[in-house]
Amino acid sequence: MRKPIVTLAVWAFALTGALGTANAQKAYGPGVSDSEILLGANAPYSGPASIYASFPKTMLAYFTMLNEKGGINGRHINFLTRDDAYSPPKTVEVTRALVENNKVLAIMAPFGTPTNAAIQKYLNSNGVPHLLVQSGGTRWNDPNQFPWTTPYSPTYVNESRIIARYVLREKPDARIGVLLQADDIGKDFVLGLKEGLGAKADTMIVKEAMYQSTEPTIDSQIVNLKASGADTILIAAQNKFASMAIRKIHELGWKPLIFLGSTANSIAGVLVPAGIEASTGILTTTSYKTPNDPAWANDKGMTDYLAFAAKYMPGMDPNDVIAVTGYTTAQLGAIILQRCGDNLTRENVLKQATNLSGIELPMLLPGITIQTAPQDYAAITERRFARFDGKTWVLFGDIVGAGPAKD
C-alpha cells in the first residue's frame, strides 16, 4: 500500500507556529531557547569545492525567509555555517568549535565526503545529530555503528547501479571507462557500477582513471581513458573536474556516450563552462525538477522556488541544481524541527529525522518522496534519467531505484 504523502502545503502553515506545538511539556537541548534554535555546519566557501558554496548560502536564505514568517513553532533558526575550505582537518576544527563553543543543537546538512568522514566519529561519540549529510557515500546510512548520522543524498552506489542497468539494456556491448575522484566518492561509484553490471563488470569496464582533488588538470587521465578504447564514460567527479573532463573529451574529437554523476550535473557550474556543444547529449540521473525546463513553467513548487530565489538570492542563477538542493534540504530540515514541537532535545531531533514517511517536497520530481526509518536512514533512493539538449536537462523514462532495501 502506498504510504501517505505529506505535502509542503500541509506543514508550511505549521512552521510559523500557527498550529501550535506538538508537546505541552518543553524539553530543550543545547542551543535551544523559547526564541531560538541554534544549528551549525561546515561549508565550502573556499578551496577546491567552493563552487558548491551556493548550497549553504541557499539554506541560509531559506531560514531567513522562515524567520521573517515567525520561524518554526515560534523560534527563529540561527544557522551558523563555517568555512572549512573542503579540508578535513579544518572541518574537524570548525565542527568542534560549533559543538563545544557555540553549543549548537545539531550539525545540519554538512558538506562533503572526506570532510564528513573526518567528523563522523566525533559527532557520534558525543551524541550530536549529524543530519542530512550532503554526500552520497554509503557510510552515512549505518544506524548500528553511527546512529547519530543521517544521509540526505541518494547514494553513489545506488546511482551507478541505475546507470549500469541502463547500459546493460541499451548498450550491452559497451566498453566503459570511469573517471573517479580518489576517495569514497569514486570508490562508491565504481562499486555500484560493478554491482549493477554483475558478471559482465570485468569485461565491460576497460579502464579506471583516478584523480586527486588537488590536481590542477586531468588531461592525462582523459587521454588514457580514450586510449583504452572506451566508448562509454562515467564521470564520477566534482564540478570543476567534471567540466574539465567534458571539455577535454570534446577537444580530442572523442565521442563516447557520457554519463555524468549527480555530484556534477549543474548546468551553470559544469556544462556551460565545459561548452554547450561539448555537453549536448550527456546523460545524468536526477531527483529534482530543473528550473529552466519548460515542463515546469506552471508548476507551483517551481514558481514558489523562483520567487524565493529572486527575493532572497539576488544575483544567483536559479537554474543551479546546487541551489535547488540547498532549498530542498532546508525544507526537510525545517520539517524535522517542526515535528519536534517543544521537545527540542538532540534525542528527539534524531527520532524525528529517522521517522519520515511519504514526504513530498516541491522541487523533488513527482513520485519521489522522503522515506526514513530507524533501521534504514536513506532519505531518497529514486531517480530519473535526463539528457542535456543544449539548454536544459530533458527527463525520459520512468522513476527508477536501485537501493536494496527500497526497490
Side-chain angles (χ1 to χ4, degrees):
M1 180 179 295
R2 184 182 173 96
K3 294 183 178 180
I5 301 297
V6 180
T7 67
L8 185 64
V10 171
W11 63 264
F13 183 64
L15 291 180
T16 65
L19 294 184
T21 57
N23 303 301
Q25 186 65 40
K26 295 180 181 180
Y28 293 166
V32 181
S33 69
D34 286 346
S35 60
E36 182 183 66
I37 302 172
L38 190 61
L39 306 170
N42 63 294
Y45 290 120
S46 64
S50 60
I51 196 167
Y52 294 92
S54 59
F55 174 82
K57 290 178 181 178
T58 305
M59 287 196 66
L60 284 164
Y62 188 83
F63 287 137
T64 295
M65 180 186 72
L66 282 188
N67 288 341
E68 289 180 0
K69 297 178 179 180
I72 298 175
N73 292 331
R75 296 178 183 86
H76 281 205
I77 303 303
N78 189 351
F79 186 42
L80 305 178
T81 60
R82 299 290 184 260
D83 184 20
D84 67 353
Y86 197 64
S87 168
K90 184 67 173 177
T91 310
V92 173
E93 177 186 332
V94 300
T95 301
R96 290 182 68 99
L98 286 166
V99 172
E100 297 171 19
N101 299 336
N102 298 111
K103 309 293 186 184
V104 297
L105 175 66
I107 298 296
M108 181 174 285
F111 179 84
T113 298
T115 47
N116 273 287
I119 59 176
Q120 188 175 22
K121 288 183 180 179
Y122 167 74
L123 293 173
N124 276 263
S125 296
N126 287 277
V128 180
H130 184 203
L131 304 178
L132 307 179
V133 172
Q134 296 301 301
S135 160
T138 54
R139 64 183 293 156
W140 319 125
N141 185 13
D142 188 354
N144 292 327
Q145 186 172 359
F146 297 110
W148 292 91
T149 297
T150 75
Y152 171 80
S153 309
T155 68
Y156 306 134
V157 170
N158 175 303
E159 182 177 351
S160 52
R161 280 199 203 111
I162 290 170
I163 291 170
R165 293 175 186 177
Y166 178 91
V167 172
L168 287 173
R169 184 177 69 251
E170 302 293 333
K171 195 175 181 180
D173 59 348
R175 293 171 56 82
I176 304 171
V178 186
L179 175 70
L180 63 147
Q181 187 160 301
D183 59 16
D184 284 351
I185 295 175
K187 292 175 185 175
D188 279 0
F189 266 109
V190 171
L191 174 62
L193 185 66
K194 290 179 176 178
E195 288 181 356
L197 295 173
K200 294 187 175 182
D202 288 343
T203 55
M204 292 183 74
I205 300 174
V206 297
K207 182 70 174 178
E208 298 173 19
M210 289 189 180
Y211 74 88
Q212 300 288 341
S213 62
T214 53
E215 291 186 44
T217 178
I218 52 168
D219 284 1
S220 62
Q221 286 91 333
I222 301 303
V223 169
N224 289 336
L225 285 169
K226 182 177 187 293
S228 73
D231 59 16
T232 303
I233 296 296
L234 171 59
I235 299 178
Q238 288 194 346
N239 277 7
K240 178 175 72 172
F241 297 97
S243 189
M244 289 193 293
I246 295 166
R247 189 185 313 117
K248 186 63 179 179
I249 288 170
H250 183 69
E251 288 173 355
L252 292 172
W254 184 24
K255 298 191 180 298
L257 175 63
I258 301 175
F259 290 91
L260 189 57
S262 62
T263 51
N265 61 9
S266 169
I267 295 174
V270 175
L271 303 186
V272 171
I276 295 300
E277 182 181 355
S279 300
T280 299
I282 287 176
L283 302 182
T284 194
T285 67
T286 185
S287 300
Y288 296 105
K289 301 169 185 175
T290 301
N292 67 348
D293 183 346
W296 309 113
N298 298 314
D299 178 79
K300 186 178 186 306
M302 182 63 70
T303 56
D304 287 348
Y305 164 73
L306 293 175
F308 158 82
K311 181 176 180 180
Y312 292 95
M313 299 286 290
M316 181 201 75
D317 181 356
N319 297 306
D320 183 1
V321 70
I322 302 166
V324 173
T325 305
Y327 179 80
T328 306
T329 306
Q331 289 177 329
L332 184 57
I335 289 175
I336 292 167
L337 294 172
Q338 185 271 329
R339 289 187 170 193
C340 288
D342 282 340
N343 183 5
L344 282 159
T345 62
R346 286 173 169 170
E347 291 77 12
N348 194 39
V349 169
L350 179 66
K351 178 181 177 181
Q352 300 305 324
T354 56
N355 285 276
L356 301 169
S357 179
I359 293 177
E360 187 177 67
L361 296 174
M363 290 299 286
L364 288 178
L365 291 171
I368 296 179
T369 60
I370 304 293
Q371 308 280 351
T372 66
Q375 69 278 9
D376 183 0
Y377 288 179
I380 304 173
T381 62
E382 296 171 314
R383 314 180 70 81
R384 283 185 69 184
F385 277 97
R387 180 180 289 106
F388 186 63
D389 70 352
K391 294 181 180 179
T392 190
W393 288 114
V394 179
L395 296 166
F396 65 91
D398 298 324
I399 291 173
V400 289
K406 297 184 179 183
D407 270 353

